[in-house]
Each structure stands twice: as C-alpha cells, then as structure tokens.
Amino acid sequence: MTAGTSGERVDDSRSSEYRQAACDDLLAEQNCDSTSERVSLDEETDPDKDVLSEQSRSKAAKKRAATLRIIALICTCSLSIGSHYANYILGPLKSRMQREIGASHAEFGLLIAAYTLNSTWTPLVGGVLASRLGTTMTSILATGVIFLGQVILLIGDIWGDVRVMVLGLFVFGIGVSPLAVVQETIIVRFFKSHGLGVSMAFGLVAGKGSSFIAASTSYPLTKHFGGRAPFYVATSLAGLSVVVNLIYIACSKWLVDGAGAELEAPDIQEEAHRREDIDMSEAQALEKVAKKRHVDIRQVAKLGDAFWA
C-alpha cells in the first residue's frame, strides 16, 4: 500500500467518523423529543467515534478545522465575483450603448428592469432548492445560470441587439438572488459558532469590493481595450466563479467533515442510505430528520398574522 493511498483512507475514516457521530447526535435528539425510549449516545457510540472526543479537541485538530473554514470562506466569497462585477458595468456604459447600439432611455430602463424583476421571487426559490438539494448543488445551478446569462448578454452586445441583451440580463437575474442565499447558508453552515458575524461581513466586503471595481473600471476599459471589454471581463469572471464552484463541490465533503460543519439534508440522507443494511430503524429515523429540514412551500400559507404583518 502506498503512502498516498494510506493517507486517503485515513481522511475517509475521519470523514466517516464525523458523519456517523453527527448523525448519532441527531438520532439522540430525535429520541429525546419523542415519547419512546431514549437512547444514550454514549452507550450506542464507540468513544473513539465521539465527535467531542479528546482528539477533536486537540490543538492540531482545531487548527486544521480553522484552516478548512477559511478555505471554504474564500471559495464561498469567490462564487459571486462575476455577478457583482456584472451588476455595475451597465451604468457607466449608458452613453456608449446609446451612441453605438442606439439604445434609447426606455430600452436601457428595460435592461435594468429585466435584471431586477427576478430578484422579487428567486430568493424564495433559492431557499427551497438549498434545503432540498443542498448548498453545493444549488450553488452550481446558480453560478451556471449567471454565466449563461452573461454569455447571452455578451452576444447581444456583439450583435448590437438590445432584445438579446434583455434576455441575457433576465437569465442572469434568475441566478443572482439564489446565489446570495446559498452563500449566506454556506457561511452559516461553517461559521455558526466560529465568528459568524465577521465571516458574513467578509462576504459583504468581497461583494461590495467587486461592485466598486466594476463601477470604477468599466469605462476606462472601453477607452483602452474597446467598447466590449467590460462585457468580456464580466463574462470571464462569471466563468471563473463557475470554476471555483466546481472546485468547491469536489472538495465540499472534505471541507465539511474536516471543519465539523453542520450536515445538510442530503448529507443526512446519504448517511441514512449507508445504514440501511446495518440498522433499518436508524436509517428510517435519519430520513425523518432529513425530511424535517426540507422546506415545504405550501406551509408558507399557514404562517400566522405576526409573519404577514
């Protein structure tokens, strides 16, 4: 056996131990909430597999978890670089678009409206998708839609067709708000008890910084590299966000288990499927826990007057 294979098996073992211990915690909470016989976590779980074991409390383990949380934060903040940059390139280019494309004030207003329209309902969709599919899958859907919309917008600018640009911004707007929901959910997942406020602030600074750079560089780019340069840059950054997202998806299990992040419904369902051949009752209990974490859009209508007031 090679050293690399041995290291991979050690990491897989640590990952499995964390997920097993975290799901055992969930089962213990489930049993405590029910009227059935309570199951003690200390009796059912091997001490070596306890998520609060002395090994996990060691300085090296804490340092490793903090490093993985920082990596996850960097990846999360990078997901919206392209969308934030693209948000603020149109304003400084209004006169250039009117001059070269012949866009009227009404058509320029339509461009902005096509983008902002989807911000009124897509956050709710993003929340539902994040609860059912998990943040990893929802994030790639959002960044993929943003990249597609930016490509259509670039094509519309090349063709000089305002209608195609409107379509691009409409598609672009579908993914922006769900991506924001996913970013906040990922940050809460990793930093719930580890400086959540600072982490959220860092994400806001990264987004606002991209917006400021876009507003301050879009017009100079047109002067030095041509009128379509800002659209090329925005599309490239949107593509970079997709690449970073794919990297995050490939490493998400390693990051979640190494940092001790909160498990999502898909993670719990995966552990439930793994336990089906071992203990069917535990698997069914975990399925119930995962189902409770799903958001049912039909339940929104049952919220009380205090919510709608």
Side-chain angles (χ1 to χ4, degrees):
M1 180 186 299
T2 63
T5 304
S6 176
E8 291 176 358
R9 291 190 176 183
V10 170
D11 289 339
D12 290 342
S13 176
R14 290 177 180 175
S15 168
S16 177
E17 289 178 4
Y18 169 74
R19 289 179 181 254
Q20 289 177 17
C23 288
D24 286 338
D25 283 338
L26 293 174
L27 288 174
E29 294 176 2
Q30 178 79 359
N31 290 333
C32 288
D33 293 337
S34 64
T35 57
S36 60
E37 182 181 358
R38 297 185 180 182
V39 179
S40 173
L41 182 60
D42 294 333
E43 294 176 358
E44 295 293 329
T45 307
D46 191 327
D48 292 335
K49 297 181 180 180
D50 192 353
V51 72
L52 299 177
S53 64
E54 290 300 325
Q55 182 179 3
S56 66
R57 294 181 179 181
S58 66
K59 185 176 180 180
K62 289 183 179 180
K63 184 177 180 180
R64 179 174 181 269
T67 302
L68 294 178
R69 283 194 293 269
I70 292 174
I71 294 174
L73 180 61
I74 294 173
C75 291
T76 304
C77 294
S78 300
L79 299 182
S80 62
I81 290 178
S83 60
H84 279 293
Y85 188 91
N87 278 342
Y88 288 85
I89 63 173
L90 287 179
L93 301 179
K94 180 178 180 180
S95 59
R96 172 254 168 187
M97 293 177 61
Q98 290 177 332
R99 183 176 62 254
E100 297 183 7
I101 302 179
S104 64
H105 292 289
E107 288 175 330
F108 190 83
L110 183 60
L111 285 171
I112 303 301
Y115 159 69
T116 56
L117 173 64
N118 290 317
S119 299
T120 59
W121 59 274
T122 51
L124 184 60
V125 175
V128 173
L129 290 177
S131 69
R132 292 187 174 274
L133 303 179
T135 52
T136 51
M137 293 304 299
T138 307
S139 64
I140 193 62
L141 290 176
T143 53
V145 169
I146 289 172
F147 179 64
L148 175 62
Q150 192 59 42
V151 170
I152 297 174
L153 179 64
L154 175 61
I155 294 173
D157 182 65
I158 294 174
W159 290 353
D161 193 332
V162 177
R163 290 174 296 180
V164 176
M165 297 181 70
V166 169
L167 175 62
L169 282 175
F170 180 82
V171 175
F172 176 87
I174 293 176
V176 172
S177 293
L179 180 59
V181 173
V182 168
Q183 282 185 296
E184 293 178 1
T185 306
I186 293 176
I187 291 176
V188 171
R189 184 183 189 189
F190 280 90
F191 293 91
K192 188 175 183 179
S193 57
H194 302 280
L196 177 59
V198 176
S199 305
M200 296 287 285
F202 186 83
L204 290 173
V205 168
K208 297 301 181 181
S210 300
S211 301
F212 171 76
I213 293 174
S216 60
T217 60
S218 58
Y219 187 72
L221 283 173
T222 61
K223 293 182 64 176
H224 292 87
F225 301 101
R228 297 189 180 92
F231 294 98
Y232 281 115
V233 173
T235 305
S236 299
L237 290 176
L240 177 63
S241 296
V242 174
V243 172
V244 173
N245 202 340
L246 292 174
I247 295 174
Y248 172 75
I249 290 176
C251 303
S252 61
K253 188 174 182 179
W254 172 64
L255 291 172
V256 169
D257 296 335
E262 184 179 4
L263 296 183
E264 297 180 327
D267 301 320
I268 299 173
Q269 289 176 326
E270 180 182 348
E271 179 66 18
H273 294 328
R274 192 190 67 82
R275 297 192 184 193
E276 285 180 350
D277 296 334
I278 302 174
D279 191 328
M280 182 59 69
S281 62
E282 285 189 359
Q284 292 174 348
L286 286 176
E287 287 285 357
K288 292 181 180 179
V289 173
K291 188 175 181 179
K292 288 182 179 179
R293 299 196 176 191
H294 288 165
V295 175
D296 188 354
I297 195 66
R298 294 171 296 182
Q299 300 298 322
V300 175
K302 299 181 180 180
L303 295 176
D305 295 337
F307 176 81
W308 297 108

